[in-house]
Amino acid sequence: MTGLVATGLEYRYPDGRVAVDRVDLEVGPGARIGLTGRNGSGKSTLLLLLAGLVRPAAGTLSLDGAGPAVGGAERSGWRGRVGLVFQDSDDQLLAPTVRDDVEYGPRNLGLPADVVAERVDRVLALLEIADLAPRPIHALSLGQRRRVAIAGVLAMEPKVLLLDEPTAGLDPLGTAALLECLDRLHRAGTAIVLATLDLELALRWSDRLIVLDEGRVVEAGPPDVVLSSAHCARLMGRGPAILAVGRQLRAAGVLPSGENLPRDLDQLLFWLPEPPKREPRVLTLR
Amino acid sequence: MLDVDSVAHSGGWQRFHAAEKACFGLGCLGVALLAPAPGGGLVVAVAVLLLITIGPARVAPRLLLRLGLPALGSVAVSAIVVLVDWGAGPPSAAGSRVEAAAALTGRSTGAVACLLFLGTTIPIGQWAAGSRAVGIPDPIVEVGLAIHRTIVVGAGLVGSLDRAARARLGYRDARTALRTAGLVGGGLLGRLYDRDVRHDRAVAARRGTGEPPVARIGPPSPVRLSAAVMGVLVVALASWTVVR
């Protein structure tokens, strides 16, 4: 089996509470998987498990058929191939300047200096933050720190990129820029798992959406189908307005039943009837 | 939240009054230090650890070991220091000090077990309220709370930074581990300062005076308090009986 495969993953907190309960997950090459659920539903813990940063109480993990060994270099190798961008960028940025921080991972891989420099330059260019390279971390905005955190993981060239609520706290333009970066990575073949509470983002961005509740997968499938389900509505509220309008359009016969529901504003506008044109009123001033 | 706090907040000992738990824990601590060494201290350690693991708190043995390991490591180092003759010439084993090292180990292990009992059964809020109730001056309690808060925040930050470093192979070998330790240590100081500044601002924004809110607690039940005293007496009796 190619890609990242998790079977029966379980994790318990030290006080015995179940955080992740028998989760099965497949992340194929180039997949875009959204992960959502209420606060405390186990999203972040599941990402930590997938990244090999906490040890599961039960279950197995494999990437392209090989699993992480317990401890040692094998496990470290796993972390090089499955990269995790933490929810709080401040936790992740360790070095004093942007370039130092992006270099941190590749240097830990033991790569020669010229390879490290080439990787760092490439990743900084990909995320359009090359101009930030010499700047100190503490002088960056939240959106810039988020992109530097992603760059630090991408410089290790992971096969699977895990992102924990990457758009939280970003302004709309920052979110759009980040999604553009993710699209570029997706086109380059990186599999991405994105945990988010933003249902519109999950609908727009993911090819497959998974809903967690109390550590269990309760819904999984195409995002428009998952977000239209009654179960998801009970857990997460009414869901994106775009879906609701799309359903109204379908009910009114504007959207053919064979067509998928719109997943972003552009698709929605395509199906919306144009408003009647009004003749401009001419006012005569006396 | 620290693991020890998490256990204290979620464990079954929550329903007991802080005074009852403090009476039992501190009483056993006294017994561990005063009972004939090394057997007395070890008996207290076994009794108290059994109470923590199979009593209402039901703390997992592995977690208990993790919580107690730093203190037990310190006990082991102390015992080695006593056992070795550090006089002129190269250090050598001092056979005559075996008894002293054993006594130190027994008493300290018992004391560590009692402190683990107090830590895993009494949440910090109950400690503060209880301390005030027995007349410990407010500034001392507040300094204690501030130290606790700094430890909690610091431990959380170290945990997050460490995890993020591990995610990028920061401990792959000795060289990278040393570099990572430096980065984590350096990062911790700045972040702790930043958190403190933000906390002060938040407190000031709510017109806080700097005094942390502390729950008030009523008097303990005399029956349960008596039971705690009886428990200590039973442990003390067991210690002396086993040793003699």
Side-chain angles (χ1 to χ4, degrees), chain A residues 9 11 47-57 61 63 66-83 109 156, chain B residues 163 166-172:
Chain A
L9 275 190
Y11 182 78
L47 294 185
L48 290 174
L49 283 167
L50 295 176
L53 287 167
V54 292
R55 192 176 298 189
L61 273 174
L63 183 63
V70 176
E74 243 323 288
R75 184 127 191 191
S76 293
W78 178 274
R79 288 177 193 149
R81 288 176 292 153
V82 181
L109 284 171
M156 300 179 75
Chain B
R163 186 172 275 172
R166 279 191 289 132
R168 289 198 280 163
L169 312 182
Y171 299 97
R172 196 177 176 93

Side-chain angles (χ1 to χ4, degrees), chain A residues 106-118:
Chain A
R107 282 178 64 183
N108 289 341
L109 284 171
L111 299 172
D114 55 333
V115 177
V116 171
E118 184 270 323

Side-chain angles (χ1 to χ4, degrees), chain A residues 272-280:
Chain A
L272 276 180
E274 290 217 0
K277 283 188 179 161
R278 289 183 182 165
E279 289 298 319

Side-chain angles (χ1 to χ4, degrees), chain B residues 134-174:
Chain B
V134 297
I136 293 177
D138 276 0
I140 294 178
V141 175
E142 282 162 20
V143 166
L145 286 172
I147 291 172
H148 176 265
R149 188 178 154 274
T150 305
I151 292 172
V152 169
V153 171
L157 282 172
V158 167
S160 305
L161 293 171
D162 179 70
R163 186 172 275 172
R166 279 191 289 132
R168 289 198 280 163
L169 312 182
Y171 299 97
R172 196 177 176 93
D173 53 39

Side-chain angles (χ1 to χ4, degrees), chain A residues 21-222:
Chain A
D21 192 5
R22 287 164 290 168
V23 168
D24 298 325
L25 182 71
E26 281 183 33
V27 185
R32 285 192 300 188
I33 295 183
L35 193 61
T36 193
R38 290 186 297 189
N39 289 326
S41 59
K43 301 184 295 295
S44 298
T45 309
L46 178 57
L47 294 185
L48 290 174
L49 283 167
L50 295 176
L53 287 167
V54 292
R55 192 176 298 189
T60 58
L61 273 174
S62 70
L63 183 63
D64 296 338
V70 176
E74 243 323 288
R75 184 127 191 191
S76 293
W78 178 274
R79 288 177 193 149
R81 288 176 292 153
V82 181
L84 171 62
V85 179
F86 289 70
Q87 185 177 353
D88 188 348
S89 306
D90 287 342
D91 288 344
Q92 191 169 331
L93 303 176
L94 294 165
T97 69
V98 170
R99 176 168 277 280
D100 288 340
D101 196 85
V102 179
E103 277 181 356
Y104 176 76
R107 282 178 64 183
N108 289 341
L109 284 171
L111 299 172
D114 55 333
V115 177
V116 171
E118 184 270 323
R119 274 197 191 190
V120 171
D121 289 339
R122 187 153 37 85
V123 166
L124 292 176
L126 178 74
L127 294 172
E128 296 175 349
I129 50 173
D131 55 321
L132 300 180
R135 288 182 59 184
I137 297 287
H138 65 261
L140 304 178
S141 69
L142 176 66
Q144 289 170 331
R145 289 204 299 275
R146 196 62 54 79
R147 279 201 264 178
V148 173
I150 295 174
V153 174
L154 286 184
M156 300 179 75
E157 298 190 348
K159 284 192 153 189
V160 181
L161 179 63
L162 312 171
L163 298 126
D164 195 354
E165 300 195 23
T167 59
L170 290 187
D171 58 36
L173 284 179
T175 302
L178 184 66
L179 293 181
E180 218 171 276
C181 294
L182 295 185
D183 283 343
R184 281 200 287 272
L185 291 173
H186 171 64
R187 284 196 294 273
T190 308
I192 304 174
V193 180
L194 183 148
T196 183
L197 290 169
D198 182 343
L199 299 183
E200 290 204 4
L201 170 68
L203 172 69
R204 181 168 34 140
W205 178 84
S206 54
D207 297 329
R208 181 175 153 81
L209 182 63
I210 293 168
V211 183
L212 286 182
D213 185 38
E214 295 181 353
R216 282 191 301 274
V217 175
V218 291
E219 289 278 348

